[in-house]
Amino acid sequence: MNGALILAEIQEGQVLDVTAEMVSAAAAVGGPVTLGLAHPDPTSVAGTKIEGVDAIVAVTTPDDAYDHQIFDEALTAMIAEADPAAILIAFTTRNAAFGAALATRLDLGFASGIIGLRREDDSLLAIRPMYGGKVHADLEFDPAAAAVLLVRGSVWAEASATTETCPIRLVPLSDPDTRISHREFAPDEETDIDLTKEDVIFTIGRGVGSAEKIEVFERLAERFGAALGSTRPLVDAGWLPTARQIGLSGVTVKPALYVAFGVSGALQHQMGMIGAATIIAVNTDADAPIFEIADYGSTADMFEVAKHLEDLAG
Amino acid sequence: MKVVVCVKQVAELPSYIEFSGADIDAAYASYQLNEADMYAIEAGLRLVEAVGAGEVVVIGAGDDGTVETLRRAIAMGAQRAVRVWSDDLAQHDPVAVGRALADAIETEAPRLVLCGVQSSDSRQQSTAPAIGAALGLPCISAAVGIDVEGDRAIVSREFEGGRTEIVAVEGPAVISVHTGLNEPRYGTFKEKMAAKNASIPTIAPTRPVARTTVRRMVIPESTGHVEMIESGAADVASRIVELLQEARR
């Protein structure tokens, strides 16, 4: 049991940035770093040459990127091959659907949503925000077993790309659990909203108070050529379509400017917008977590700010 | 149809707290039934009502305060409640909690096990998968729709960006439900009285202990760099316009 195994996040044949972030995070584990590829054609995956990766293990999977049962089984095979002390997985909905199951089944340590990893008196400690982020916990793991770590994105800097290639060791996938079977994907909502391509986003949160008042900010966004974004509670309430939801269960955006009106900034929301170049937040609650990540902040009333903005729009 | 719904007592913290050992001092926190769990209770009640027979049993793993949370679930209409607890239960480890809940669930042998997708204080989305693995049952996370047809459940589950997949599962399964799935009810006066008088047994977990422990908790040092604009709404609006111009330059 030595080193780290990192499950690469792959989308359309390309390794995503969070993978190189996990390679940086794995430095605290010590020992060799093994990259794990679970993909229908692992040798074709682009972006696997990352500085700090010592080996690659790959499992050829059926073409179903959403089936958590396959990833659970693929990781089980990779763990048997690499014998790591820590298994790093990106904290996504699909991965959270099996991470704790993997740890339970193999009797491993477990932590999710972690934002830090370090050594202290020879123990590996994982830092996890708790109680809505007001507290950070240092978690330690039984040294007799490996630990499954679901890692938050956009926390670590990406390890650089390299030109050196690692040989790929293919490990067979045993029969995955298939008790849950795919039927179909629900048709995507008819929408021309794509927040990921916007350079300015005005986002409203619970602070807006009621469905009727959303219009104020819709109009404002339109006048300033910004896109309107939302937090989950507004979508849950049926006030705005899912396509406008920013955060872990919504879209991840990286605009040049992000203006947050009445957004508390729960961790789940932060995960979808922390990559914005400039963040300005307006929230009457001075303790709101959004101010921890904002560049500019104000505790002014969001509707008053909106009124002044309308005047400025002329 | 018997449905078990797993619930959690979640903490909300004020701006000032103190610690007691490797956890917060509970005296500073206020506790309530986790929001997503209310949607799970509502989903369970509707499934049982649709069949016209059966019961909803709520199970929670936690200290004495959890009893109040379980009463709240009975007040919504659940028929019975069971608490799982021992002083050495690692409450912050979903694997330990999942195993502890699995003990109580196994005794009930329900048709389905429902959970909230995540707790509002911990947000790991991990208890349901841990329960599934502990019981050897399949687990579907983040459900936004559940239909039961005989031995089969048809579940819509939601991924990032609102992508929704419809899956089928045969036989007993664990399902975690998203907020927004339904409108949780408040419960009738009769149910509230029943909750007050309900006897809630406590059982001790028997499965192996956790491999993860909390060494300490701290208040994170502020990593913020926010520049607060103290001069009123008009100046905030002007700043937003300036930043807009800069962003488009």
Side-chain angles (χ1 to χ4, degrees):
Chain A
M1 211 174 68
N2 188 20
L5 168 68
I6 296 167
L7 177 67
E9 273 300 294
I10 303 166
Q11 201 176 62
E12 287 163 12
Q14 172 76 40
V15 169
L16 300 183
D17 294 351
V18 67
T19 310
E21 294 168 19
M22 290 192 285
V23 173
S24 299
V29 178
V33 172
T34 305
L35 188 65
L37 304 176
H39 192 265
D41 184 9
T43 54
S44 74
V45 173
T48 59
K49 293 176 189 170
I50 303 168
E51 188 86 54
V53 172
D54 302 297
I56 297 178
V57 293
V59 173
T60 306
T61 56
D63 194 4
D64 193 347
Y66 285 96
D67 189 338
H68 68 279
Q69 303 168 113
I70 291 169
F71 284 84
D72 192 352
E73 202 58 53
L75 262 171
T76 305
M78 291 175 189
I79 292 167
E81 169 71 20
D83 193 25
I87 300 109
L88 278 67
I89 308 172
F91 185 36
T92 65
T93 304
R94 182 200 68 205
N95 295 345
F98 72 84
L102 178 74
T104 305
R105 201 160 42 75
L106 300 181
D107 198 15
L108 308 178
F110 178 79
S112 96
I114 67 161
I115 56 160
L117 266 182
R118 68 169 194 278
R119 289 252 159 214
E120 195 176 294
D121 0 304
D122 218 34
S123 311
L124 181 66
L125 295 186
I127 304 168
R128 176 160 88 73
M130 291 187 49
Y131 298 110
K134 287 208 166 96
V135 170
H136 284 182
D138 285 344
L139 304 176
E140 61 181 310
F141 308 99
D142 182 348
V148 174
L149 308 170
L150 290 170
V151 178
R152 255 180 81 181
S154 303
V155 173
W156 279 269
E158 289 164 44
S160 351
T162 170
T163 49
E164 284 182 41
T165 46
C166 291
I168 297 185
R169 301 200 309 272
L170 267 173
V171 288
L173 180 69
S174 55
D175 288 337
D177 193 340
T178 51
R179 286 176 292 181
I180 300 165
S181 56
H182 170 82
R183 282 288 186 88
E184 57 180 326
F185 284 103
D188 285 332
E189 274 180 69
E190 279 295 322
T191 176
D192 48 5
I193 305 163
D194 182 6
L195 296 182
T196 63
K197 295 193 169 67
E198 298 289 342
D199 63 348
V200 177
I201 298 177
F202 286 5
T203 294
I204 47 177
R206 269 190 220 252
V208 75
S210 71
E212 297 71 47
K213 290 180 181 158
I214 288 174
E215 200 196 327
V216 174
F217 293 90
E218 266 170 349
R219 205 168 53 227
L220 210 56
E222 198 181 316
R223 291 183 77 167
F224 283 96
L228 187 73
S230 165
T231 61
R232 179 153 194 123
L234 276 58
V235 172
D236 277 348
W239 296 351
L240 283 168
T242 313
R244 296 210 181 273
Q245 188 191 322
I246 294 164
L248 176 66
S249 57
V251 292
T252 298
V253 297
K254 291 184 177 178
L257 178 64
Y258 193 88
V259 189
F261 293 101
V263 172
S264 68
L267 290 173
Q268 253 58 10
H269 181 69
Q270 288 186 18
M271 288 170 77
M273 46 66 78
I274 197 146
T278 302
I279 299 167
I280 178 163
V282 181
N283 192 316
T284 50
D285 175 9
D287 283 336
I290 191 82
F291 293 125
E292 277 293 310
I293 59 161
D295 301 293
Y296 302 94
S298 163
T299 54
D301 179 272
M302 62 191 272
F303 293 100
E304 268 185 52
V305 175
K307 199 159 83 21
H308 287 290
L309 273 172
E310 271 182 40
D311 294 344
L312 290 173
Chain B
M1 174 159 56
K2 187 193 267 190
V3 177
V4 160
V5 182
C6 299
V7 299
K8 183 186 175 188
Q9 165 191 245
V10 293
E12 208 166 286
L13 304 189
S15 30
Y16 179 80
I17 56 156
E18 287 186 10
F19 294 96
S20 161
D23 209 332
I24 56 156
D25 183 339
Y28 288 87
S30 60
Y31 292 91
Q32 58 212 2
L33 172 58
N34 181 42
E35 188 191 4
D37 300 348
M38 293 188 206
Y39 292 88
I41 294 166
E42 179 64 37
L45 293 170
R46 290 186 190 194
L47 288 172
V48 170
E49 284 162 5
V51 174
E55 61 174 344
V56 171
V57 181
V58 285
I59 303 182
D63 58 22
D64 292 349
T66 296
V67 174
E68 278 319 299
T69 303
L70 292 168
R71 286 195 198 285
R72 175 84 186 78
I74 294 174
M76 278 181 69
Q79 277 74 28
R80 284 191 292 124
V82 178
R83 179 168 76 110
V84 189
W85 180 245
S86 74
D87 287 337
D88 60 357
L89 177 66
Q91 280 193 87
H92 297 300
D93 177 20
V95 173
V97 171
R99 284 175 176 155
L101 290 166
D103 277 325
I105 295 165
E106 207 157 45
T107 313
E108 297 290 343
R111 167 74 184 83
L112 285 176
V113 180
L114 303 182
C115 304
V117 64
Q118 65 183 9
S119 59
S120 62
D121 56 356
S122 208
R123 301 174 192 258
Q124 302 196 76
Q125 306 190 1
S126 291
T127 306
I131 293 169
L135 290 170
L137 294 179
C139 175
I140 302 170
S141 286
V144 290
I146 305 171
D147 279 306
V148 178
E149 303 162 358
D151 199 37
R152 174 179 300 159
I154 307 291
V155 180
S156 306
R157 61 172 169 180
E158 194 183 270
F159 291 98
E160 283 82 358
R163 184 98 159 123
T164 303
E165 184 191 22
I166 298 158
V167 294
V169 62
E170 309 283 334
V174 182
I175 301 170
S176 82
V177 309
H178 237 309
T179 52
L181 172 76
N182 49 41
E183 270 186 53
R185 66 192 72 183
Y186 287 102
T188 62
F189 178 74
K190 200 175 140 205
E191 284 156 347
K192 284 182 182 131
M193 291 311 289
K196 230 175 176 177
N197 301 320
S199 113
I200 298 176
T202 300
I203 64 166
T206 60
R207 282 166 212 254
V209 292
R211 293 216 187 256
T212 309
T213 48
V214 179
R215 179 177 283 198
R216 67 175 78 81
M217 286 189 195
V218 294
I219 305 279
E221 272 179 44
S222 173
T223 52
H225 55 276
V226 66
E227 181 190 314
M228 294 303 281
I229 305 160
E230 310 283 2
S231 45
D235 283 356
V236 177
S238 310
R239 182 62 63 87
I240 291 172
V241 172
E242 279 169 32
L243 292 171
L244 263 163
Q245 285 159 353
E246 271 173 41
R248 296 221 160 102
R249 201 168 288 155

